[in-house]
Amino acid sequence: MSHEILLVAGSAALGATRREAIDRAALELPGFLSHESGVRGTTAVSLVEAAPSGGDVAAMTTEADGLRLVVGTGVEPRGRDVRESGAEAAAVEVLVAEDGRTRVRTDGAGLLPCFWSGSATGLTVSTHLASMVSLGISPDLDDTAVLQYLVLLHPLDDRTLLRGVRLLPPGCELTWVLGQEPTVTSRSLMVPGGEPLSDDQVVARFAALWPEVVQQALERSPGQRPLVGLSGGLDSRAIAAAASQLGRRPLAYTYGTRVNREVRTAERVAQQLGWPHLVLPVTPDRRLHGVVETALRLDGAHSPSEMYESWFAGTLREHGDTIVNGLAGGPLWGDDKAHGLMDLESVVEFQLARYTGAAASLRPYLWGAAASGLDHELRRSLRSSLEPWDMGAREDAPGLWKLHNRQLRWGNMLFSSLRREGLRPEAPFLDSRVLRLTAGLTPEQHKNGSLYLRVHREALPETSNIPRTDDGNSPNRLTHVYWSSDRSFARQLADLGRSHPVSAGRRVYRRAHDVVMGRASAKHPGSTRLARAASAADVFPADIWVRGGGTYPQRLASMLRSGDFSGTPVAPEAVDQACDALEAGRVEGSAGTLGKVAALGTWVADYRRRAKPAG
């Protein structure tokens, strides 16, 4: 897990208790190796190292006015405020003055999670959510956050699974002094602002900036062994094209086999650029590999059943020390389908429709009141989260909301999980310079990703002729890449057809084919022909694996059985029935839903174990 920060502050009379809590929490971090502690005034802190190491850099130093602790993926030189940094120096920084006055800062993209709970009498902070319980916070759950996680894959806003514990926002500064309520200010880099630019100016500035950003991401690899995750989409090829412009040819990797369209597309990109390309088959022994350990490295968001890098972490470490991926490329360039909806209720209904399937698949695992009230609670919490965003001000407001929720909570937990696996994460799209550029995009420039396509054609032509995995069309043969809600689907398709009729037909055919084959394969898991056809579109067909017997359902059932669901919205008897069905090869539920339920049970068991008195 590399490094984590722990902090407890409060009354001077609690001095010994604070130190004991810090020491206990350090020892309970998975993979604990060592820790260094310090006390200033009424604040005790600790910097903990845990295995596997190598995924970050950290320091605890004595300053003229107190202690400074920092954990990050690329600590900036002194003099630069960590809040101004993005992925190039993602970090959490703690500053403790001699009298115990405490400041905690997060980077401007919130890439490393930091959790807190505080009042005028005390403050608890950790970069690892479960450690908050070890530091004395109650293990009681926030039932609303639990339901949000089980449906959306993450709690909304700054909620966490633990009642009373909050996630610090991006670009945050939390300030605490004994006797005063904590104050929190935030200046995220992922909000609209900056100089408005024309389309020509955006393309020109990106073309000048992007190669420098990618070059520095590759050069920060400690052992000069960067790995580039390569898929058939636009984001990873944007990294690959820029690296090739620089004359760099790092090792690329893709999950799957040549049966998968994604692998064939990535292979074509690698061959065209002259890159070495590692294909990693998702063999039965890899499916859900180390699933419990992966869950413990996540912070109450994402799911170990979908955290694929963790399944291959050992193999990836053999080949490299840094993972460079296209995290957040699409969201920054306008991939949200709710774009164009400009009233709150329409956006709420759109989001509810987006998660209808997830809610329906979860409902059988909830006890009575939780199941019957799920739709109401989901609607209420989505509306509450969306209300602060002025939907009438910008057509792209739904996308900005998603960036601060799904991206911050789902994507950034992926980022942090990598570092805890001992792999240095690099996300060039979340570099502060790129974030400042994309923050200036207008709603029209976000629409349909049309400007992103132009960026590929003009700034990244090396791969713009290669068809995307999703629809078989290349950036050179598309007028838009993402759907929006300002016009009907049929009209958008017709607009594409007028410019590129073959591309429009291919998009319709590919989508219809994948939907039909996916449904047929789920109904007939024993059909080799159908499974092969569905796998062409999906490298990780979990709904097929979960019904096919073998390693995947066995590991999932084992994880579910070891979880603790008492006192949660999940009905333990429903979990027992799911485990029996998994082991008998006749499960009917969604594999993704079962993965989230299993993760919740693992986290709850961990929280409650940590809350028990020593001895």
Side-chain angles (χ1 to χ4, degrees):
M1 292 181 68
S2 296
H3 295 87
E4 306 294 342
I5 292 174
L6 307 173
L7 180 152
V8 178
S11 169
L14 301 175
T17 305
R18 286 195 306 269
R19 193 60 177 260
E20 290 170 2
I22 286 282
D23 290 342
R24 177 189 174 196
L27 290 170
E28 290 185 334
L29 273 165
F32 170 81
L33 294 174
S34 65
H35 72 120
E36 180 181 3
S37 300
V39 178
R40 292 294 185 275
T42 57
T43 300
V45 293
S46 183
L47 181 63
V48 188
E49 182 180 7
S53 59
D56 57 30
V57 289
M60 179 173 174
T61 57
T62 301
E63 309 289 319
D65 56 351
L67 283 177
R68 175 178 182 264
L69 291 81
V70 61
V71 170
T73 57
V75 178
E76 283 290 292
R78 296 297 177 83
R80 178 174 178 179
D81 191 331
V82 68
R83 293 172 293 175
E84 301 300 321
S85 298
E88 76 277 14
V92 172
E93 179 185 54
V94 173
L95 304 166
V96 184
E98 289 297 334
D99 61 0
R101 292 172 180 263
T102 300
R103 287 185 297 169
V104 183
R105 292 173 174 169
T106 57
D107 65 77
L111 281 161
L112 269 65
C114 186
F115 305 96
W116 73 284
S117 179
S119 66
T121 59
L123 176 70
T124 305
V125 174
S126 177
T127 53
H128 182 238
L129 180 60
S131 292
M132 294 291 285
V133 179
S134 296
L135 293 171
I137 298 299
S138 169
D140 291 346
L141 300 177
D142 179 332
D143 285 344
T144 294
V146 168
L147 291 174
Q148 289 171 350
Y149 166 72
L150 289 172
V151 176
L152 281 69
L153 204 60
H154 54 86
L156 292 169
D157 304 316
D158 64 347
R159 283 184 183 270
T160 75
L161 298 183
L162 293 173
R163 185 185 304 167
V165 177
R166 297 289 172 174
L167 174 74
L168 284 177
C172 168
E173 180 172 273
L174 180 152
T175 303
W176 179 86
V177 60
L178 185 62
Q180 299 178 17
E181 291 294 327
T183 60
V184 177
T185 58
S186 177
R187 53 188 195 201
S188 169
L189 293 173
M190 300 187 294
V191 295
E195 176 188 0
L197 301 173
S198 68
D199 289 1
D200 290 345
Q201 289 173 319
V202 171
V203 174
R205 291 201 182 182
F206 186 85
L209 170 66
W210 187 240
E212 179 183 352
V213 169
V214 171
Q215 179 176 7
Q216 291 175 0
L218 295 172
E219 290 177 345
R220 281 192 292 268
S221 174
Q224 288 299 299
R225 295 196 307 152
L227 297 169
V228 175
L230 192 60
S231 70
L234 298 183
D235 304 333
S236 63
R237 73 171 68 177
I239 296 169
S244 290
Q245 291 174 2
L246 298 164
R248 299 291 297 268
R249 290 178 174 79
L251 178 62
Y253 71 92
T254 309
Y255 302 122
T257 68
R258 296 202 81 256
V259 169
N260 309 115
R261 289 200 297 260
E262 183 168 306
V263 171
R264 295 198 299 271
T265 303
E267 193 173 64
R268 182 172 173 181
V269 172
Q271 288 176 348
Q272 186 154 307
L273 298 177
W275 279 29
H277 184 218
L278 177 65
V279 176
L280 298 171
V282 190
T283 51
D285 63 302
R286 287 294 174 188
R287 299 169 192 170
L288 295 184
H289 179 74
V291 63
V292 173
E293 293 79 3
T294 298
L296 296 176
R297 291 188 173 104
L298 294 169
D299 283 309
H302 211 308
S303 168
S305 67
E306 299 178 35
M307 187 57 220
Y308 308 124
E309 273 74 9
S310 291
W311 300 6
F312 291 88
T315 301
L316 293 173
R317 286 195 298 267
E318 290 176 5
H319 292 277
D321 50 46
T322 299
I323 301 294
V324 186
N325 64 38
L327 183 64
L332 290 173
W333 288 99
D335 72 352
D336 192 82
K337 293 180 181 179
H339 182 109
L341 297 178
M342 299 189 69
D343 68 275
L344 177 63
E345 291 309 312
S346 295
V347 178
V348 170
E349 292 303 318
F350 184 94
Q351 299 299 339
L352 284 170
R354 172 180 281 171
Y355 295 109
T356 295
S361 66
L362 171 66
R363 196 170 288 109
Y365 301 108
L366 303 181
W367 51 265
S372 61
L374 178 61
D375 290 345
H376 172 77
E377 181 58 32
L378 190 58
R379 183 186 300 274
R380 185 198 66 78
S381 59
L382 279 168
R383 180 181 289 107
S384 176
S385 177
L386 286 159
E387 279 176 346
W389 297 83
D390 187 351
M391 295 298 161
R394 294 177 62 106
E395 289 186 349
D396 58 353
L400 298 172
W401 170 84
K402 188 176 83 169
L403 189 64
H404 279 79
N405 279 277
R406 181 157 177 83
Q407 185 55 56
L408 177 61
R409 303 306 298 276
W410 173 87
N412 294 5
M413 292 308 161
L414 183 153
F415 187 93
S416 195
S417 178
L418 280 175
R419 75 177 180 88
R420 290 170 175 163
E421 293 281 5
L423 292 160
R424 189 84 158 268
E426 289 284 353
F429 282 104
L430 292 171
D431 183 286
S432 62
R433 293 161 290 182
V434 177
L435 290 174
R436 290 189 179 94
L437 174 62
T438 55
L441 297 182
T442 66
E444 186 64 27
Q445 288 171 329
H446 271 144
K447 186 184 295 184
N448 300 131
S450 299
L451 188 57
Y452 194 23
L453 289 170
R454 184 177 166 189
V455 162
H456 275 271
R457 290 191 294 267
E458 299 179 21
L460 306 164
E462 292 82 358
T463 58
S464 64
N465 67 316
I466 299 176
R468 300 167 61 238
T469 300
D470 288 349
D471 60 13
N473 296 312
S474 73
N476 291 344
R477 294 292 181 267
L478 287 172
T479 55
H480 76 273
V481 66
Y482 309 127
W483 302 108
S484 60
S485 292
D486 60 315
R487 298 170 297 156
S488 69
F489 171 86
R491 183 176 173 186
Q492 292 175 73
L493 186 63
D495 288 345
L496 173 61
R498 278 190 287 271
S499 300
H500 301 291
V502 174
S503 295
R506 187 182 290 123
R507 176 168 280 189
V508 171
Y509 171 78
R510 180 67 64 83
R511 177 59 180 163
H513 176 272
D514 290 347
V515 169
V516 170
M517 296 308 297
R519 290 175 178 174
S521 298
K523 290 181 179 179
H524 306 284
S527 171
T528 303
R529 184 178 63 84
L530 289 175
R532 186 181 297 112
S535 295
D538 190 356
V539 177
F540 300 97
D543 284 332
I544 294 175
W545 294 340
V546 81
R547 293 168 174 82
T551 304
Y552 191 94
Q554 290 172 7
R555 287 175 173 170
L556 186 53
S558 176
M559 187 180 185
L560 283 163
R561 290 200 187 281
S562 66
D564 186 346
F565 299 98
S566 59
T568 77
V570 175
E573 58 273 19
V575 173
D576 290 339
Q577 292 170 8
C579 291
D580 292 342
L582 282 166
E583 292 165 349
R586 52 179 176 80
V587 67
E588 296 181 359
S590 158
T593 295
L594 286 171
K596 288 181 287 187
V597 171
L600 174 67
T602 299
W603 291 328
V604 172
D606 187 35
Y607 300 158
R608 291 173 178 168
R609 177 189 61 78
R610 290 167 179 266
K612 291 180 180 178

